[in-house]
Amino acid sequence: MEKKIIAAFDFDGTITSKDTLIEFIKYATGKFCFYKGIILYSPLLLVYKLKLFPNWKMKQLLFSHFFRRISLVQFDAICRAFYREKGQGLFRKDACEAVQRHIAHGDTVIIVSASIENWVLPFGESLGVDVVVGTKVDINELGNLTGRFLTTNCYGMEKVKRINQLYPHRNTYYLIAYGDSRGDKELLSFADEAYYQSFE
């Protein structure tokens, strides 16, 4: 029996032309607040650029600074507004066409991203993908964001782990993966067929 095909796409830099974390923060807070926050964290950002500070920790610090205490309802509304106003300008045409080819072929298509799942979801819905997998945010008992991540940052081996959770029987499907950065290395190695920076 022919194996089903699962096509797994990275999001930032693969489906989109820019890092959506930066674009989302700018959109949600305004450029003045964005640059004020970046200046505040500039010493740590420099250490991060030198690879002396973990990716996930830098990302969580920035996310917490800008979004801690906001309600999940408000945050999700901003995520959807971000897609409506900025989404079409962020898509890579070739990547979207590749997604649509897989869908037309009857493949299962997923987006697996280190970005926050809440703002990736509207992009995935518009493309018609089956599943969006991303970094999940922690919510307190009042329904507000704590600023922490509920899951491990969906980067590197975490991408493989999350795919295995969704599709545990690896010998039953053929995995095609698309990525563009170091964070996709393990996913691309895990795949039966891998495409690196295909949409540059």
Side-chain angles (χ1 to χ4, degrees):
M1 185 169 63
E2 188 176 346
K3 290 183 178 181
K4 72 174 179 180
I5 295 173
I6 297 176
F9 287 79
D10 167 55
F11 184 63
D12 293 287
T14 300
I15 287 178
T16 68
S17 58
K18 295 180 180 179
D19 183 337
T20 56
L21 173 65
I22 300 301
E23 296 304 308
F24 180 77
I25 294 173
K26 282 182 186 176
Y27 173 81
T29 67
K31 288 185 178 180
F32 176 78
C33 288
F34 168 75
Y35 287 114
K36 183 179 176 182
I38 293 300
I39 290 168
L40 178 66
Y41 284 95
S42 57
L44 274 178
L45 284 166
L46 178 60
V47 174
Y48 162 70
K49 285 292 186 182
L50 294 171
K51 303 187 185 303
L52 301 174
F53 196 71
N55 173 287
W56 71 267
K57 191 173 286 189
M58 187 71 254
K59 180 177 171 181
Q60 185 170 260
L61 281 172
L62 284 175
F63 183 80
S64 181
H65 174 79
F66 290 109
F67 300 110
R68 186 176 68 248
R69 298 192 185 94
I70 189 174
S71 76
L72 178 61
V73 171
Q74 184 181 358
F75 183 69
D76 280 341
I78 296 169
C79 290
R80 294 193 175 279
F82 173 64
Y83 170 72
R84 285 196 306 271
E85 296 183 29
K86 302 290 184 180
Q88 292 301 315
L90 291 170
F91 278 131
R92 287 188 184 276
K93 182 182 177 183
D94 289 352
C96 292
E97 289 173 350
V99 169
Q100 296 309 313
R101 281 196 299 272
H102 280 290
I103 291 173
H105 189 260
D107 303 337
T108 296
V109 181
I110 70 173
I111 293 174
V112 55
S113 173
S115 275
I116 304 302
E117 199 169 277
N118 305 59
W119 75 67
V120 180
L121 190 59
F123 287 81
E125 288 174 346
S126 74
L127 289 171
V129 306
D130 296 280
V131 183
V132 170
V133 177
T135 302
K136 295 181 182 293
V137 295
D138 185 52
I139 310 298
N140 65 20
E141 64 279 2
L142 298 175
N144 298 329
L145 276 63
T146 66
R148 297 186 298 273
F149 297 151
L150 184 63
T151 59
T152 301
N153 187 34
C154 194
Y155 177 95
M157 270 307 297
E158 184 65 15
K159 293 193 174 190
V160 175
K161 179 182 174 183
R162 299 282 289 277
I163 288 176
N164 276 328
Q165 287 172 346
L166 283 170
Y167 309 103
H169 305 295
R170 182 63 182 87
N171 63 333
T172 64
Y173 62 89
Y174 185 87
L175 180 64
I176 303 174
Y178 299 82
D180 79 304
S181 70
R182 168 64 188 84
D184 304 312
K185 181 181 177 183
E186 290 82 358
L187 172 62
L188 295 171
S189 296
F190 182 65
D192 297 293
E193 189 176 328
Y195 295 94
Y196 180 69
Q197 295 185 349
S198 298
F199 312 116
E200 295 295 308

